[in-house]
Amino acid sequence: MKRILLLLISVVFIISACNNTDDDKVEKNNEQEKIEVKEEKKEKEVEAEEKKEENLEPLYSINEAIWSLEPLKKETNSKVVLLTIDDAPDTYALEMAETLEKLDVNAIFFVNGHFLETDEEKDILKQIHDKGFMIGNHTYSHNDLQTLSEEEQKEEILTVNEQVESIIGEKPIFFRAPFGHNTDYSKQLVEDENMVLMNWTYGYDWDEKYMNKEAITDIMINSEFLNHGANLLMHDREWTNEALEDIVIGLQDKGYEMADPHTIKTIN
């Protein structure tokens, strides 16, 4: 009887030891995964910091007479275009960001505050920013500033600054007025907020005849206004989203480089 009892105790002890060993293995694996995640995060932070350092010296400025990019030095490539996406993040902004990320080109996403109300919308904006894209201010409700009082203009602009900062941790650097309609007051407010005023060189995707992939691709690549430093206006729209990759590749085939907005001279 004693032998049986001792045998049972031994079996229980062995099973317990095995369970403890399995638990230890699981715990070690979890710890290893945590370490790997931390290391990966650290690597990304280092890469982001290195990119910031690379871009400390601006390469381009905005020519406010024609709203195009101008090289600050003779040796800087002048055959560039700037990609900008307005009315984000409505429906397709994240997909557009993923397309641009795949193509390894950058852009500015100009956001409307009324698209930043829900947790899902805020998360989309954060994802776009975390991919390395710059976020611009396009007012809260997309109203024509020239039809608003100064107080209303102030609210339209500053509300978006506050929203964006609360989501991504920094205020927008660039401002684009709806319809390109600024006022003396909005220009001064933008300057006081240390933002760069921006309009565009050309864009077409709000015109009904260009509301399909083939038409918008063709005009964006072959517009008579395409020139060195052109500031290209596009929107968070289905047809533009479908055409975006072809537009970028078509411009590259013509020898144009997509300018990185981080290399544009800012007020700070």
Side-chain angles (χ1 to χ4, degrees):
M1 188 66 181
K2 281 184 179 180
R3 287 183 180 179
I4 295 173
L5 188 58
L6 286 171
L7 184 59
L8 288 172
I9 291 171
S10 298
V11 170
V12 170
F13 178 78
I14 291 169
I15 292 172
S16 177
C18 289
N19 287 338
N20 287 338
T21 301
D22 290 341
D23 289 343
D24 289 342
K25 285 182 180 178
V26 171
E27 188 173 342
K28 285 180 181 178
N29 288 337
N30 288 339
E31 286 298 321
Q32 184 62 33
E33 286 178 5
K34 288 179 182 178
I35 291 170
E36 289 174 358
V37 169
K38 284 182 180 179
E39 289 177 349
E40 185 179 351
K41 185 177 180 182
K42 186 69 177 176
E43 287 176 6
K44 287 183 178 180
E45 288 175 352
V46 170
E47 288 175 4
E49 196 60 38
E50 287 175 350
K51 187 171 182 179
K52 276 185 181 179
E53 289 176 4
E54 288 174 5
N55 294 324
L56 282 178
E57 185 178 2
L59 301 177
Y60 303 94
S61 63
I62 298 289
N63 180 335
E64 293 191 7
I66 53 177
W67 302 109
S68 64
L69 298 187
E70 288 190 345
L72 294 171
K73 294 182 179 180
K74 288 182 180 179
E75 61 269 24
T76 301
N77 181 22
S78 64
K79 195 170 183 180
V80 298
V81 294
L82 178 66
L83 304 179
T84 66
I85 314 292
D86 279 14
D87 299 347
D90 185 359
T91 305
Y92 304 98
L94 182 56
E95 190 174 338
M96 296 173 89
E98 289 169 346
T99 296
L100 296 174
E101 183 181 38
K102 180 183 72 172
L103 297 170
D104 195 26
V105 297
N106 215 308
I108 304 174
F109 283 78
F110 283 94
V111 301
N112 296 127
H114 65 91
F115 290 133
L116 298 173
E117 296 293 349
T118 68
D119 289 341
E120 181 182 2
E121 290 168 337
K122 293 174 184 178
D123 181 63
I124 288 173
L125 181 67
K126 190 172 188 312
Q127 288 186 62
I128 293 171
H129 176 260
D130 288 348
K131 290 179 182 296
F133 297 101
M134 296 195 78
I135 306 302
N137 184 327
H138 196 40
T139 74
Y140 182 84
S141 60
H142 205 275
N143 283 321
D144 187 337
L145 295 178
Q146 294 179 1
T147 68
L148 304 179
S149 68
E150 290 186 356
E151 189 58 37
E152 288 170 328
Q153 293 178 58
K154 182 177 181 181
E155 185 174 353
E156 284 283 331
I157 296 169
L158 296 190
T159 297
V160 175
N161 277 1
E162 292 166 3
Q163 286 177 301
V164 171
E165 185 174 24
S166 71
I167 297 167
I168 67 172
E170 56 189 54
K171 292 180 181 179
I173 295 174
F174 298 100
F175 174 77
R176 174 178 278 159
F179 317 107
H181 293 173
N182 277 289
T183 67
D184 290 339
Y185 177 80
S186 69
K187 290 177 183 177
Q188 186 60 55
L189 180 59
V190 166
E191 183 178 335
D192 292 343
E193 287 290 305
N194 293 323
M195 290 191 288
V196 176
L197 199 66
M198 186 179 287
N199 276 358
W200 60 86
T201 305
Y202 68 84
Y204 299 91
D205 62 359
W206 60 86
D207 188 324
E208 188 172 353
K209 64 183 176 181
Y210 298 113
M211 290 182 181
N212 64 77
K213 177 182 177 181
E214 292 73 22
I216 192 61
T217 298
D218 180 66
I219 192 65
M220 291 302 290
I221 296 171
N222 299 307
S223 170
E224 63 181 301
F225 301 109
L226 174 62
N227 52 41
H228 291 203
N231 188 333
L232 276 52
L233 171 61
M234 293 177 281
H235 292 79
D236 182 336
R237 300 288 186 271
E238 181 180 4
W239 44 93
T240 311
N241 175 43
E242 292 173 350
L244 187 56
E245 182 169 352
D246 289 344
I247 291 171
V248 171
I249 293 173
L251 291 166
Q252 290 174 331
D253 288 345
K254 283 193 163 187
Y256 284 91
E257 178 184 335
M258 309 300 114
D260 185 341
H262 296 86
T263 63
I264 300 173
K265 183 179 179 182
T266 58
I267 294 176
N268 288 334

